Amino acid sequence: MIDFLRLEDTLTNSQRAIQQASRQIVAEEATPHIRQAYREELFPSHLPKALGAAGMLGPSIPIDGREVMGAVEYGLMMRELERCDSGLRSFASVQGALVMYPIYSFGSEEQKKTWLGPLSRGEKIGCFGLTESDGGSDPSAMKARATFKNGKWILKGSKCWITSGSIADVAVVWAQTEKGIRGFVVPTASKGFSAPRMEGKLSLRASVTSELYFDDIELPESAILAKSVGLKSALQCLNQARFSILWGVLGAAEACFDEALAFAKERILFGRSLSSFQLAQRKLALMATDITQGQLLALQIAHLKDSGKLHHSHISMGKQNNVAMALSVARTARDLLGANGITDEYCVMRHMINLESVFTYEGTNDIHLLIVGNELTGVPAFTNT
Ligand code: TGC
Ligand code: FAD
């Protein structure tokens, strides 16, 4: 694995052990299945429980008396998942950061008791409904609405592009109310809830993506995430998930680099190893440098998170840079493999097309540049006011 600046030397023994254990789980439970899952557009159904048993779902949330994981440890886990496929990290980051985190942070004791244990063990699956069809970059324009009437909430509207939607037992849904945007915990068995799968994706094929429809769903008063306050609460959840992405994509980039380096050493062209040509070495050297910069960024952002000094614009810089870097590394690796690079015998093309989705979701690359621009200048360029 590419570690040019010996950053592994900076890890503690327990961080190294977590990295090793995660790598092993992924090698045993996911890697043997990923190519077929991708071909067949299927999420491997045994994975939630396998990842739950390995403590990889919501590891930063203190439940069941388990030790809360630090940011570096969490990042290392996400990196191992995405080394296999972005769809696996997507599943884990939605489950932990976008479902367990809001229930833990904004939910009632009853909601926590009902959902957190089963979600952490992978016995129940969750999804997060924020995006609607009229422009995901501006969630404040959402139309889904929850109205409080006769002691019940009535939820109406729809969401789209929702990871794990059709396989979820529970959806954390964000909707307009009289008091602004609030979060709701919606069991997917509720009358009026449907979640058709969005078929035909060319990217993230091993991840389930769905629409959600809420046809006047009746929910008890207690379904609201009582401590959620406006869009800000949803954005706080996104911070957690974006953190997992900025670490996760390092795994995808490293997998592409490792495959390209091995291929270049083996491939004989014009009577010499491809790796001996200057142009090939230039590509490898630039890829290694970009990955190393991404690794340093991720480590420092994790240190800021653990020391309580993290601002959401730091996460935006990391998400923007590391996803763009991983996509560029995957494209160069694909190029180095020549025609072989377009087959699924190798991982480079699968990672490359997955990363197109990662570039867009959880805030597009543009949105993250604008968030950093806002922090630098004090002027929000994404609003019309
Ligand atoms: P704006 O007026 O800027 O902010 C509203 C309030 O929220 C505060 N805030 C944040 N707080 C915590 N964390 C953040 N990241 C925050 N960003 C803003 C802000 O200070 C303000 O607080 P207050 O106290 O003044 O009320 O909001 P805006 O409506 O202008 O929007 C800003 C913008 C464009 C940056 C935001 O809407 C945005 O991030 N848009 C991108 C949407 C997005 O990322 N959607 C992701 C959907 S989920 C998903 O894609 C899952 S993919 C599956 C997987 O993860 O694998
Ligand atoms: P748009 O917002 O329409 O953006 C289109 C283009 O306009 C982009 O290039 C964008 O950068 C650019 N743009 C936007 N605003 C500006 C601006 N102010 N200035 C300049 N350019 C701008 N959402 C969820 O809620 N839950 C999920 O689980 C989830 N999972 C997803 C899984 C997948 C596979 C995908 C692809 C998406 C998922 N999403 C999910 C939705 C995702 O968050 C949105 O796709 C994303 O926020 C972008 O929204 P959009 O696709 O509507 O693009």
Side-chain angles (χ1 to χ4, degrees), residues 255-269 272-277 280 284 287 332-343 345-348:
C256 291
F257 175 86
D258 290 345
E259 192 165 72
L261 178 61
F263 184 92
K265 284 181 175 170
E266 290 278 312
R267 184 74 164 168
I268 303 297
L269 293 167
R272 290 162 55 178
S273 153
L274 171 59
S275 63
S276 71
F277 290 101
L284 290 165
M287 287 159 84
T332 308
R334 212 291 308 146
D335 160 35
L336 270 166
L337 266 72
N340 287 288
I342 72 157
T343 73
E345 288 293 310
Y346 295 89
C347 72
V348 288

Side-chain angles (χ1 to χ4, degrees), residues 2-115:
I2 165 90
D3 180 23
F4 199 74
L5 286 192
R6 301 183 62 100
L7 293 174
E8 293 229 354
D9 293 359
T10 69
L11 301 181
T12 62
N13 286 340
S14 92
Q15 287 167 344
R16 254 181 248 132
I18 283 168
Q19 174 171 266
Q20 206 44 48
S22 309
R23 195 168 293 170
Q24 193 176 334
I25 288 289
V26 172
E28 286 168 6
E29 300 286 349
T31 311
H33 307 285
I34 195 62
R35 190 158 60 136
Q36 206 55 27
Y38 207 87
R39 280 188 182 176
E40 293 174 9
E41 216 175 339
L42 285 176
F43 174 70
S45 58
H46 68 283
L47 273 183
K49 285 191 182 145
L51 299 182
M56 294 172 89
L57 301 176
S60 357
I61 293 168
I63 44 165
D64 290 348
R66 70 181 179 187
E67 207 182 315
V68 175
M69 203 157 268
V72 174
E73 288 82 347
Y74 177 49
L76 291 168
M77 278 187 168
M78 296 300 118
R79 184 163 79 160
E80 291 313 315
L81 286 171
E82 198 149 354
R83 193 182 305 286
C84 177
D85 192 86
S86 299
L88 307 188
R89 196 269 311 133
S90 253
F91 171 78
S93 51
V94 168
Q95 183 93 348
L98 296 182
V99 181
M100 292 173 65
Y101 174 85
I103 293 175
Y104 174 72
S105 304
F106 311 124
S108 62
E109 286 312 310
E110 186 198 340
Q111 287 166 330
K112 292 182 203 180
K113 208 165 148 228
T114 307
W115 293 108

Side-chain angles (χ1 to χ4, degrees), residues 224-286:
I224 194 165
L225 285 170
K227 290 181 229 150
S228 63
V229 281
L231 184 61
K232 190 176 183 152
S233 299
L235 293 171
Q236 273 173 256
C237 306
L238 297 184
N239 291 339
Q240 311 303 315
R242 292 165 177 175
F243 177 82
S244 70
I245 291 175
L246 73 91
W247 269 90
V249 294
L250 291 173
E254 290 159 1
C256 291
F257 175 86
D258 290 345
E259 192 165 72
L261 178 61
F263 184 92
K265 284 181 175 170
E266 290 278 312
R267 184 74 164 168
I268 303 297
L269 293 167
F270 302 98
R272 290 162 55 178
S273 153
L274 171 59
S275 63
S276 71
F277 290 101
Q278 289 183 350
L279 277 176
Q281 289 192 8
R282 179 177 189 275
K283 287 174 191 171
L284 290 165
L286 289 175

